[in-house]
Amino acid sequence: MSDYDYDLFVIGAGSGGVRAGRMSAGFGARVGMCEDMRVGGTCVMRGCVPKKLTVYGSSFHDEIEDAQAYGWSVDASTAKLDWGHMIAKKDAELQRLEDVYHSMLKNAGVDLLNGRGKLVDAHTVDVDGKTVTADKILVATGGWPSNPDIPGIEHVISSNEALDLKVLPERMVIVGGGYIAVEFAGVFSGAGVQVTEIIRAPNILRGFDEDVRDHLRQEMTKKGVNILSDTTIEAIEKTSDGYALKLGDGSSLETDLVMYATGRSPKTANLGLEELGIELDRKSAIVVNEQYQTSVPNIYALGDVTDRVNLTPVALGEGMVLAHSLFNNNPGVMDYDNIPSAVFSHPPIGSVGLTEDQAREKGDIDVYVSRFKPMKHTLSGRDEQALMKLIVDQKSDRVVGLHMVGPDSPEIAQGYAVAMKAGATKADFDSTVGIHPTAAEEFVTMRNKTR
Ligand code: NDP
């Protein structure tokens, strides 16, 4: 046992920090933690959890329309979401979750300090004027929305404020084409707002499979989201009843609310990192090795503050690897291959492994693509198509990429991710009996190569 106050002190009580701290305490370490915002961090308080609740809430208009088409006596033309009601219920749920986090940490024996942590030296942290010492320190401060520096940028909101809006605007512009922008475009459009999504690139979701990008864009457009591509914004002006966006081509666009989702930056400012000589990369993310060690060996960092794979389950995995290696005599490294991910757009995406372009760079491949009307919509009449795509390495027959856009695709992709992690081949897929009638069975019944 060290002479320090703690064996491990964690700065930041988000997904990665809480998991690392809680597990370390479970292995017998004396653990302290500090947080200057709400315990639970981005995912629970400002990201995944409230976002998914609003994704559910905003999907009911379509459900009501479908129900009407099936014969239910409901009138979709008058159905309206009380947004304020949903946000209040979401807030109550977040409070419940925050309370759960507090008791989880308490039960694990982790000391939680309410305040902002700043490194003083390699073993000392200042938490709003109180000094604590620790043998090892973990920086898990996450990330924060980052906006370009253009005139009028102070008028815009980010996903943080979007989740706390009390009333809905009539019209809204969402800037960006990444996860957050497409998810919120679906939420607000489903809630009845006229959404224009502005992207500087030719298409949404850079980095995703090209078929997936095109397919989601078509489906979002069918649902009423107006996507303006190859479009830049030079300035934002406040007008008497909203905002005027000055676009790169000289035209102007009027709207009631502007949300930016143009990426997130690691939260590394004013933490005392530079003073200690901790190496940061050009985006100010903390540079770590495979054991999450920074350039100061007893100081560690993981999760979004290291800006690698910015997903909650990755931060959780990293936290577990760190706790095992520091306090359970069980060093290991995290496997970053085949990390499945989902975009909770309307309709959602589920994705595992390589895109077609990535796979083609590695060798010869076979591609199987299927587009079909989900069975539910044969009776509802909704004009919606699902996309399913498999990418198979010709030499090994292994399935190296699996992508879906359509109802339940995140749930479906999670199951197939296990098969792909286990190295499943196309022959394994083909010899698996389908569950009928489902969309998921399409992945085990794709027989004809598309290319
Ligand atoms: P992303 O990095 O995913 O996307 C940023 C978007 O903003 C891109 O479309 C990019 O365009 C655009 N952009 C960047 N700079 C500018 C600029 N100066 N002007 C105009 N457009 C710009 O960031 P997000 O904010 O959407 O999400 C952050 C991270 O959070 C994600 O990477 C993801 O890891 C995580 N996340 C995961 C979710 C999930 O798993 N479901 C949900 C939400 C977030 P371009 O393509 O041209 O570069």
Side-chain angles (χ1 to χ4, degrees):
M1 189 174 286
S2 63
D3 292 336
Y4 300 107
D5 298 333
Y6 297 107
D7 299 318
L8 175 71
F9 192 81
V10 184
I11 305 178
S15 301
V18 167
R19 181 60 62 93
R22 211 158 54 89
M23 283 193 80
S24 299
F27 295 140
R30 296 168 306 141
V31 180
M33 187 177 292
C34 68
E35 170 61 55
D36 64 345
M37 297 178 77
R38 296 182 71 183
V39 174
T42 300
C43 173
V44 184
M45 293 298 147
R46 295 175 292 282
C48 326
V49 172
K51 179 271 312 283
K52 182 92 188 267
L53 294 172
T54 58
V55 167
Y56 281 128
S58 60
S59 65
F60 287 110
H61 191 268
D62 282 1
E63 298 280 329
I64 294 165
E65 274 182 354
D66 293 346
Q68 195 176 352
Y70 266 81
W72 282 86
S73 45
V74 284
D75 182 359
S77 68
T78 57
K80 198 168 177 313
L81 171 66
D82 181 345
W83 174 266
H85 174 93
M86 179 177 75
I87 292 298
K89 291 200 86 164
K90 178 269 294 177
D91 287 343
E93 172 59 8
L94 295 195
Q95 189 55 57
R96 187 189 72 80
L97 288 172
E98 193 179 7
D99 294 345
V100 168
Y101 266 74
H102 274 279
S103 48
M104 224 162 49
L105 287 169
K106 190 160 174 251
N107 294 341
V110 175
D111 282 350
L112 181 66
L113 310 184
N114 181 11
R116 187 163 197 288
K118 183 170 179 178
L119 292 161
V120 177
D121 62 39
H123 292 283
T124 312
V125 180
D126 174 282
V127 183
D128 286 353
K130 180 178 156 56
T131 298
V132 292
T133 60
D135 183 27
K136 296 178 169 61
I137 295 171
L138 170 63
V139 182
T141 47
W144 199 250
S146 101
N147 295 335
D149 187 14
I150 58 164
I153 196 72
E154 67 278 9
H155 298 307
V156 313
I157 63 165
S158 71
S159 54
N160 292 344
E161 295 79 29
L163 289 164
D164 285 335
L165 278 185
K166 297 290 179 257
V167 283
L168 284 179
E170 217 168 279
R171 302 163 301 175
M172 181 173 184
V173 165
I174 298 182
V175 183
Y179 283 80
I180 297 180
V182 298
E183 290 181 341
F184 279 74
V187 166
F188 285 108
S189 144
V193 178
Q194 285 172 42
V195 176
T196 301
E197 183 173 350
I198 297 185
I199 56 174
R200 64 182 180 180
N203 208 352
I204 54 172
L205 291 179
R206 185 162 52 85
F208 279 75
D209 187 272
E210 293 298 329
D211 282 331
V212 167
R213 300 173 76 186
D214 290 342
H215 192 92
L216 180 66
R217 183 184 182 146
Q218 278 164 22
E219 294 303 322
M220 286 174 68
T221 305
K222 282 188 208 163
K223 286 183 185 293
V225 178
N226 178 23
I227 301 178
L228 302 182
S229 40
D230 298 303
T231 304
T232 54
I233 300 170
E234 313 232 299
I236 301 162
E237 278 169 18
K238 176 114 192 64
T239 60
S240 55
D241 56 354
Y243 302 95
L245 308 186
K246 300 267 167 264
L247 303 184
D249 65 0
S251 65
S252 177
L253 181 73
E254 304 267 323
T255 189
D256 304 320
L257 186 65
V258 187
M259 170 179 155
Y260 264 66
T262 48
R264 295 173 60 86
S265 300
K267 252 181 128 177
T268 46
N270 207 15
L271 276 177
L273 298 167
E274 293 91 339
E275 292 85 335
L276 254 73
I278 291 178
E279 189 188 348
L280 304 179
D281 71 11
R282 58 181 183 83
K283 286 179 73 188
S284 291
I286 301 179
V287 177
V288 290
N289 64 16
E290 277 196 329
Q291 272 73 45
Y292 310 109
Q293 223 165 6
T294 70
S295 47
V296 174
N298 72 305
I299 301 185
Y300 298 79
L302 51 73
D304 288 7
V305 77
T306 61
D307 195 26
R308 296 178 315 164
V309 185
N310 297 336
L311 299 172
T312 294
V314 173
L316 296 175
E318 292 177 345
M320 290 191 277
V321 167
L322 183 70
H324 271 287
S325 81
L326 293 185
F327 300 109
N328 196 32
N329 201 18
N330 180 18
V333 289
M334 171 126 176
D335 178 1
Y336 291 89
D337 276 347
N338 280 326
I339 293 171
S341 78
V343 183
F344 294 96
S345 40
H346 288 320
I349 297 173
S351 212
V352 198
L354 305 177
T355 66
E356 182 176 338
D357 289 347
Q358 289 166 341
R360 227 173 260 296
E361 273 176 23
K362 289 179 183 266
D364 293 333
I365 53 168
D366 292 329
V367 177
Y368 301 79
V369 181
S370 173
R371 289 187 177 81
F372 56 94
K373 191 187 259 284
M375 190 177 180
K376 180 180 174 186
H377 299 316
T378 55
L379 293 204
S380 75
R382 177 172 298 286
D383 176 20
E384 185 176 313
Q385 293 270 309
L387 168 84
M388 294 173 83
K389 178 166 180 178
L390 278 185
I391 299 155
V392 179
D393 173 50
Q394 277 181 3
K395 206 157 144 226
S396 63
D397 195 42
R398 277 182 65 163
V399 177
V400 292
L402 178 147
H403 308 275
M404 176 172 178
V405 186
D408 302 322
S409 50
E411 307 288 341
I412 292 169
Q414 179 69 84
Y416 281 106
V418 179
M420 288 172 65
K421 191 91 187 156
T425 59
K426 179 70 167 63
D428 293 323
F429 273 53
D430 292 346
S431 67
T432 301
V433 175
I435 298 176
H436 190 69
T438 62
E441 69 177 323
E442 187 71 15
F443 278 132
V444 296
T445 54
M446 287 173 152
R447 297 284 183 261
N448 300 319
K449 289 175 211 168
T450 309
R451 48 190 174 264

